[in-house]
Amino acid sequence: MPSLYAHRGARATHPENTLVAFAAGVAAGAQGLEFDVHRSLDGEVVVCHDPTVDRTTDGTGRIETMPWAQLRQLDAGAQWRQDPDADQANGGRRHGPTPFAGQGIGLPRLHEVLERFPDRPLTVEFKSVAVAAPALAVLRRMGVRDRVLVGSFLTAALAEARGAGFRTTASQGELLRLLPAALAGVRVRDLPFDVVAIPPRWHGMPVPVRALLRSLGRPVHVWTVNEVGQARGFAAMGVEAILSDAPARLMAADPPIAFRDRTG
């Protein structure tokens, strides 16, 4: 029975990686939240997917070159527009009404998400090596190691988290090296990661989720799953978590998908 995570919050209906999107995901029934972090010029840990603020805010520039005093002024609801495709809704579509613009929705910092959602399991994606140390400092200070999974495509960004005893996902490089063994049905042991987080397809090719489950002996989290039929399939397969832009859609499935209760 998998847990349901709101991927960058309920970004199908709210501006991604904002407190309103996370609140909407929880209200929809998601047990956990997934989001991304970058380091600002002055060392703040800022929640945002892209290295720049261009796609999702009314500003421009790379987060690593901008101080928090500048980042906090940006409108993180400025680019959201209604669209069936969550990627298009979040900055892909450039014409149409922007219902969240001017509503005081800003880029949150890591500690603000932790404070706002004190009892939720979280997957925190480190988007660079530079953000690892300040992000881990926040996580340690707030005592959340038991409810946080640290993810990254970058093996180097995960090294300190592993040394500090945090659960981590496999990096992209680690997964690519293990795929041949998984496809061959070989059981791999002594792995440095705790969870495999994978998409259903990668560059147009299907990812062998079932083979990875068998071969690696690690829980699997699948992102991003927005269709009810696909979510049913992964739940039946035995994945540990399903990450969705549209948690309300999956929670409204009829008959219901059996998701794990967040307190279970």
Side-chain angles (χ1 to χ4, degrees):
M1 183 181 298
S3 296
L4 176 62
Y5 279 63
H7 177 249
R8 304 185 214 167
R11 68 189 288 260
T13 55
H14 294 74
E16 69 174 52
N17 276 335
T18 63
L19 293 177
V20 295
F22 300 141
V26 169
Q31 293 80 40
L33 301 170
E34 184 273 349
F35 55 90
D36 316 274
V37 292
H38 288 272
R39 182 189 184 278
S40 71
L41 178 64
D42 49 352
E44 292 289 343
V45 184
V46 181
V47 179
C48 190
H49 177 270
D50 298 0
T52 73
V53 298
D54 302 38
R55 177 175 61 85
T56 57
T57 80
D58 59 346
T60 60
R62 295 185 65 83
I63 294 171
E64 65 184 5
T65 68
M66 304 169 74
W68 175 244
Q70 183 179 2
L71 291 163
R72 71 190 299 269
Q73 301 298 322
L74 299 177
D75 186 345
Q79 301 295 348
W80 193 94
R81 294 171 172 87
Q82 185 72 47
D83 193 279
D85 184 321
D87 287 334
Q88 290 299 309
N90 287 274
R93 178 185 288 275
R94 288 296 177 173
H95 301 285
T98 52
F100 293 101
Q103 301 300 308
I105 300 171
L107 295 170
R109 289 171 290 180
L110 174 59
H111 74 270
E112 293 169 328
V113 180
L114 297 172
E115 290 167 354
R116 179 72 177 273
F117 304 98
D119 62 344
R120 297 283 161 174
L122 306 172
T123 295
V124 183
E125 182 85 9
F126 290 3
K127 303 302 283 188
S128 69
V129 176
V131 79
L136 287 168
V138 172
L139 296 174
R140 287 193 191 98
R141 184 175 74 242
M142 299 194 69
V144 296
R145 186 171 64 181
D146 290 345
R147 66 182 179 101
V148 168
L149 173 68
V150 176
S152 183
F153 279 16
L154 309 170
T155 306
L158 297 170
E160 187 175 347
R162 290 170 177 169
F166 282 86
R167 295 173 70 232
T168 68
T169 68
S171 69
Q172 183 175 310
E174 288 168 337
L175 270 181
L176 288 174
R177 287 193 294 272
L178 291 167
L179 269 178
L183 291 171
V186 176
R187 187 64 180 265
V188 183
R189 303 185 187 279
D190 299 321
L191 298 169
F193 51 83
D194 304 282
V195 170
V196 178
I198 50 176
R201 301 183 72 86
W202 186 250
H203 297 297
M205 298 292 291
V207 174
V209 176
R210 196 182 301 274
L212 287 167
L213 275 167
R214 288 196 305 262
S215 178
L216 302 184
R218 290 287 192 269
V220 170
H221 294 194
V222 184
W223 54 271
T224 307
V225 180
N226 293 331
E227 300 306 322
V228 169
Q230 190 177 49
R232 287 193 199 284
F234 286 125
M237 201 177 291
V239 303
E240 182 180 76
I242 291 173
L243 282 61
S244 179
D245 301 325
R249 184 185 306 160
L250 301 190
M251 289 298 294
D254 185 17
I257 301 170
F259 288 112
R260 185 184 305 275
D261 184 81
R262 69 179 178 87
T263 59

